[in-house]
Amino acid sequence: MTQDIVILAAGKGSRMKSALSKVLHKVGGVAMVRRVLATANTLADSKLHLVVGHQGEQVEANCQDFSANIVWQNDPQGTGDALRRVAPFLQADGATLTLYGDVPLIRASTLEKMTSLSTSNTLVLLTISLDNPIGYGRIVRSDQGKVTAIVEQKDASESQLAIKEVNTGILLAPNNHLQGWLAALTNNNAQGEYYLTDIIAMAARDGVDIVTVNPENEAEVAGVNDRVQLAALERELQSQQAISLMQNGATLLDPSRIDIRGELITGQDVIIDVNCIFEGKVVLGTGVEVGANCHLKNCTIGDNTIIKSNTLIEESEVGEDCDIGPFARLRPGTQLANKAKIGNFVETKKARIGEGSKVNHLSYIGDTEMGANVNVGAGTITCNYDGVNKHLTQVADNVFIGSNTSLVAPVQVAEGATIAAGSTITKQVGEKQLAFARARQTNKDNWPRPTKK
Ligand code: UD1
Ligand code: CA
């Protein structure tokens, strides 16, 4: 069956106390509403509608890449009112699935379970039984166990308040009936709102089957109203992600101390020590080890590479069997070939480092193309910036660069060359040449040391 998916995101979110729209606050590094859109997008034959209102420009601007039909709900008057504004865009056949922009952890598998039950004469509700149902709409059933209505907390009788089965808000309704039901909604209730949930009683009256599905876990249907709930869902998601990494063959020295804000793909026997942060898309090859307190963002790390503690890697590609850190910083555009070594307090940027080359201590290597088996002495830097433009440093294979060398770009050092320690290199160094570019040492005999006056 074809599907319209409506994501409600017009609410005020005042308890967030934020200039940012509630649904743009992030869980696991991704805006809540973007998580919902991404999940919805995985469902077959679906057309997305995003209902925006309060801070709607922000929401619209941040979700453009999903090409959802943006429906404005200025002056929101309830969930039923929201659906009514989408009604003109709904397909004639099929069904409409309603989701919430502030319920970010809903799973595609649960939604698929719902859609598998959908027919032109069936309404599917996602419900859950809660020990503490306060605040939720209650699922009212007949003596035969059939759902007959949803009653909102504020409109419920004493006996209805005792019902533990609640409405998660997520429901799937057949379009052939939905249009009529939406048109018939009224706001004669405790909140003076148009309740989407009033369509349940109409469906029961019209002889439509009302079936219920339960989510796999409570977190799937948990909504975020304030930053305390946001933090709770963040922990929940991190814990789920940690479990799935371990199930895929990664060792986490403490699964409660890892943060994945995006997508982390791990090969077999990856070992991750505590307090590491992974952002964007990070791929760790087989046997990769990541030490404590590392921060990796949008990077690929080859098999058996070891990243020691307190290393930061961004927008970089690292080969196999490399050795990085501790305290290394690989900035965007760094490419390390296999077996390269980047040691402590080394910063690289837009730098290609060839196979087996070593930059072991206290260096800055930027805008550089470096060949294989180069040894870069401690304290060596590329002077890549003249105050206006960036320039390239090219170092061929098997070069030896003495400690504390400045390579003033643009400059080339040819294959097999050697640079004496402390040199300031401003001119090309030829193949196998030795370059000295420092003041010659002068020694004076019998130097009289100063004496105390
Ligand atoms: C709703 C359900 C309730 C359910 C609960 C689950 C109704 C009438 N009630 O209640 O049965 O147990 O969710 O959390 O549907 N929104 C709009 N436009 C509006 C109103 C709301 O976009 O005019 C959006 C809000 O941004 C929010 C969501 O819809 O994301 C739910 O709205 P909210 O006011 O929180 O509904 P509840 O009263 O919690
Ligand atoms: Ca709510």
Side-chain angles (χ1 to χ4, degrees):
M1 229 165 144
T2 58
Q3 248 173 167
D4 288 289
I5 303 184
V6 179
I7 296 164
L8 302 187
K12 234 177 164 181
S14 40
R15 278 181 280 165
M16 293 299 281
K17 305 202 168 133
S18 179
L20 183 69
S21 159
K22 172 167 80 171
V23 295
L24 292 179
H25 283 259
K26 291 176 179 175
V27 173
V30 179
M32 291 194 276
V33 68
R34 291 185 58 86
R35 274 192 183 273
V36 179
L37 283 159
T39 303
N41 238 350
T42 66
L43 302 179
D45 288 331
S46 46
K47 182 172 177 222
L48 302 182
H49 309 269
L50 180 60
V51 179
V52 301
H54 189 72
Q55 295 168 316
E57 293 83 3
Q58 286 179 15
V59 181
E60 183 174 10
N62 275 278
C63 297
Q64 264 168 358
D65 50 321
F66 286 97
S67 332
N69 171 33
I70 304 289
V71 179
W72 279 84
Q73 188 195 17
N74 293 312
D75 176 28
Q77 295 167 59
T79 50
D81 173 53
L83 262 284
R84 266 156 60 141
R85 314 240 187 159
V86 186
F89 307 104
L90 298 177
Q91 302 165 79
D93 301 317
T96 296
L97 174 65
T98 302
L99 302 175
Y100 294 75
D102 58 359
V103 179
L105 300 189
I106 186 68
R107 290 187 185 183
S109 54
T110 297
L111 301 178
E112 279 156 8
K113 213 158 49 170
M114 293 178 72
T115 58
S116 71
L117 299 170
S118 174
T119 76
S120 60
N121 203 47
T122 310
L123 188 150
V124 189
L125 281 180
L126 188 66
T127 73
I128 188 169
S129 288
L130 296 177
D131 289 337
N132 178 9
I134 288 176
Y136 288 91
R138 307 298 205 280
I139 305 295
V140 181
R141 289 179 184 267
S142 67
D143 293 342
Q144 291 75 42
K146 287 205 157 150
V147 175
T148 57
I150 293 178
V151 182
E152 292 305 301
Q153 166 91 23
K154 288 183 179 150
D155 301 283
S157 67
E158 201 70 26
S159 62
Q160 288 169 335
L161 286 175
I163 298 172
K164 302 243 187 255
E165 187 186 10
V166 303
N167 174 31
T168 63
I170 294 171
L171 61 85
L172 180 59
N175 286 355
N176 54 330
H177 291 286
L178 183 61
Q179 294 285 3
W181 297 336
L182 289 175
L185 289 178
T186 65
N187 61 354
N188 304 324
N189 52 52
Q191 301 184 81
E193 284 183 4
Y194 295 90
Y195 292 163
L196 176 60
T197 45
D198 283 353
I199 69 169
I200 311 307
M202 300 179 191
R205 178 202 64 199
D206 293 349
V208 168
D209 289 330
I210 303 171
V211 299
T212 57
V213 166
N214 301 134
E216 284 164 52
N217 60 53
E218 215 175 300
E220 262 193 89
V221 295
V224 170
N225 294 308
D226 59 32
R227 298 190 201 229
V228 176
Q229 290 171 332
L230 183 71
L233 276 201
E234 178 72 28
R235 283 306 100 209
E236 170 64 32
L237 176 65
Q238 292 305 338
S239 145
Q240 287 176 13
Q241 292 179 150
I243 288 168
S244 106
L245 282 182
M246 293 186 288
Q247 285 168 339
N248 279 325
T251 294
L252 304 183
L253 290 178
D254 181 351
S256 71
R257 283 186 286 168
I258 180 169
D259 286 271
I260 301 160
R261 300 174 191 156
E263 187 185 9
L264 174 60
I265 297 168
T266 52
Q268 210 173 2
D269 293 313
V270 160
I271 300 178
I272 301 173
D273 210 328
V274 300
N275 295 333
C276 291
I277 299 173
F278 300 91
E279 263 186 272
K281 183 167 181 185
V282 175
V283 180
L284 305 180
T286 301
V288 167
E289 290 182 27
V290 184
N293 309 318
C294 289
H295 188 164
L296 275 61
K297 183 174 178 181
N298 294 319
C299 58
T300 303
I301 312 293
D303 295 352
N304 302 312
T305 283
I306 294 183
I307 301 169
K308 293 177 185 139
S309 60
N310 299 294
T311 290
L312 169 59
I313 302 179
E314 281 175 278
E315 327 276 343
S316 294
E317 277 174 50
V318 173
E320 299 174 5
D321 302 299
C322 292
D323 195 331
I324 304 171
F327 296 97
R329 180 177 182 204
L330 274 53
R331 289 172 52 204
T334 298
Q335 282 178 282
L336 303 189
N338 297 345
K339 299 192 170 78
K341 208 163 176 289
I342 301 293
N344 40 216
F345 308 107
V346 171
E347 173 182 345
T348 62
K349 186 218 73 175
K350 258 198 193 170
R352 268 205 340 251
I353 311 277
E355 183 158 343
S357 289
K358 296 175 183 153
V359 189
N360 274 336
H361 330 267
L362 301 154
S363 281
Y364 171 59
I365 305 295
D367 301 296
T368 296
E369 287 170 6
M370 187 183 293
N373 299 313
V374 172
N375 195 306
V376 178
T380 293
I381 60 161
T382 52
C383 309
N384 60 326
Y385 186 50
D386 59 14
V388 183
N389 294 304
K390 301 279 169 69
H391 301 283
L392 187 65
T393 298
Q394 289 165 294
V395 178
D397 296 347
N398 302 310
V399 165
F400 181 95
I401 301 177
S403 293
N404 207 30
T405 293
S406 300
L407 297 159
V408 182
V411 70
Q412 294 96 31
V413 182
E415 138 108 82
T418 301
I419 295 173
S423 292
T424 298
I425 299 297
T426 54
K427 289 190 301 210
Q428 177 164 12
V429 182
E431 261 183 49
K432 299 211 168 70
Q433 284 185 325
L434 167 64
F436 268 95
R438 65 189 188 210
R440 215 170 253 287
Q441 182 170 336
T442 312
N443 293 343
K444 299 203 171 174
D445 292 333
N446 300 318
W447 173 248
R449 286 201 189 151
T451 52
K452 194 150 183 110
K453 292 206 171 113

